[in-house]
């Protein structure tokens, strides 16, 4: 069990760790097959982790920020715009092969934007929420997010509008369909 702050910070730390790992040694063109396969798998995990994370934020976190924080709407609107942009990049990445120049460019672009987005949430949004949320509500929110993440979509779905309520209604189904597609893609490689 984690409150909303612990939940988000732990998730962010994991995404940051994955991105640092990808940056450690970017592949050169024509590098051996096995290393490319590994890189593709690392990127797939990053896409899955970020997609689940942003989906539960859309469903639970931003509505709470809008409700509780003065100027919460402004904060949420800005962050959701960043999230939408990242989804399009990730959606392109799914279909590309590592090692191609464009692939590495897109990955670098995603990593830069994701760091900016995480910093925005951690430096601008979480401190504001901390001032106004009760410990009980923080725990309740974190618990809900933790639970929802288990069934959340593992792909970015940039064409689905980022509205709360949608995930509650369709999330588990979309999440299940995503997991099936992940499985098929993993077999192909
Ligand atoms: Fe986010
Ligand atoms: Fe986040």
């Amino acid at each position: 069990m984690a409150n909303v702050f612990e939940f988000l910070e732990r998730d962010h730390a994991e995404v940051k760790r994955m991105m640092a790992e990808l940056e450690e040694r970017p592949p050169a063109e024509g590098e051996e097959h096995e290393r490319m396969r590994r890189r593709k798998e690392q990127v797939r995990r990053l896409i899955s982790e970020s997609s689940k994370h942003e989906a539960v934020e859309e469903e639970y976190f931003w509505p709470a920020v809008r409700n509780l924080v003065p100027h919460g709407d402004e904060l949420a609107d800005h962050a959701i715009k960043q999230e939408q942009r990242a989804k399009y990049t990730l959606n392109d990445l799914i279909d590309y092969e590592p090692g191609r120049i464009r692939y590495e460019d897109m990955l670098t672009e995603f990593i830069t934007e994701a760091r900016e987005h995480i910093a925005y949430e951690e430096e601008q949004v979480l401190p504001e929420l901390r001032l106004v949320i009760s410990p009980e509500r923080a725990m309740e929110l974190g618990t809900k997010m933790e639970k929802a993440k288990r069934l959340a979509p593992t792909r970015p779905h940039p064409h689905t509008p980022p509205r709360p309520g949608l995930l509650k209604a369709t999330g588990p189904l979309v999440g299940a369909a995503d997991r099936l597609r992940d499985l098929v893609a993993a077999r192909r490689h």
Side-chain angles (χ1 to χ4, degrees):
M1 284 244 286
N3 70 31
V4 59
F5 302 103
E6 293 159 346
F7 171 81
L8 288 178
E9 276 154 19
R10 202 173 55 204
D11 257 30
H12 290 167
E14 175 62 5
V15 167
K16 283 194 255 189
R17 190 196 60 73
M18 288 175 158
M19 296 193 300
E21 199 175 83
L22 280 161
E23 276 176 335
E24 247 166 43
R25 201 185 139 226
E29 216 164 338
E31 257 197 291
E32 77 281 12
H33 182 73
E34 179 54 22
R35 240 180 67 73
M36 290 306 178
R37 199 192 55 73
R38 260 204 323 267
R39 190 164 181 82
K40 181 140 183 139
E41 178 53 25
Q42 283 179 323
V43 172
R44 196 196 59 72
R45 282 203 302 268
L46 175 65
I47 293 174
S48 166
E49 190 57 31
S50 334
S51 300
K52 290 189 282 186
H53 176 84
E54 304 301 1
V56 296
E57 279 184 353
E58 274 166 24
E59 188 64 40
Y60 296 104
F61 181 66
W62 296 120
V65 169
R66 288 183 194 281
N67 271 330
L68 298 172
V69 178
H71 311 295
D73 280 333
E74 259 167 64
L75 295 172
D77 288 345
H78 180 78
I80 288 170
K81 234 178 259 161
Q82 292 178 322
E83 288 170 3
Q84 277 301 105
R85 203 168 44 226
K87 281 187 202 171
Y88 279 101
T89 312
L90 288 184
N91 204 43
D92 288 343
L93 266 178
I94 289 182
D95 299 324
Y96 270 71
E97 288 301 318
R100 302 240 174 95
I101 299 295
R102 182 80 190 102
Y103 185 88
E104 295 303 324
D105 283 352
M106 285 193 295
L107 185 58
T108 307
E109 186 185 314
F110 171 76
I111 290 176
T112 309
E113 289 178 358
R115 285 208 177 103
E116 215 174 280
H117 174 62
I118 290 174
Y120 182 77
E121 289 181 346
E122 289 185 349
E123 289 160 24
Q124 313 287 325
V125 184
L126 294 183
E128 296 282 330
L129 184 65
R130 240 178 241 283
L131 294 175
V132 291
I133 196 169
S134 70
E136 297 75 35
R137 184 95 189 256
M139 186 53 89
E140 187 199 335
L141 191 56
T143 307
K144 266 190 199 156
M145 290 170 82
E146 216 168 23
K147 200 169 150 223
K149 197 181 160 200
R150 284 184 223 133
L151 298 172
T154 60
R155 289 170 177 245
H157 302 282
H159 305 292
T160 306
R163 273 201 307 271
L166 212 61
L167 182 64
K168 259 182 228 143
T170 61
L173 287 178
V174 176
D178 281 353
R179 280 170 179 77
L180 195 64
R181 282 171 75 191
D182 291 343
L183 205 70
V184 172
R187 290 229 177 103
R188 220 174 30 222
H189 286 282

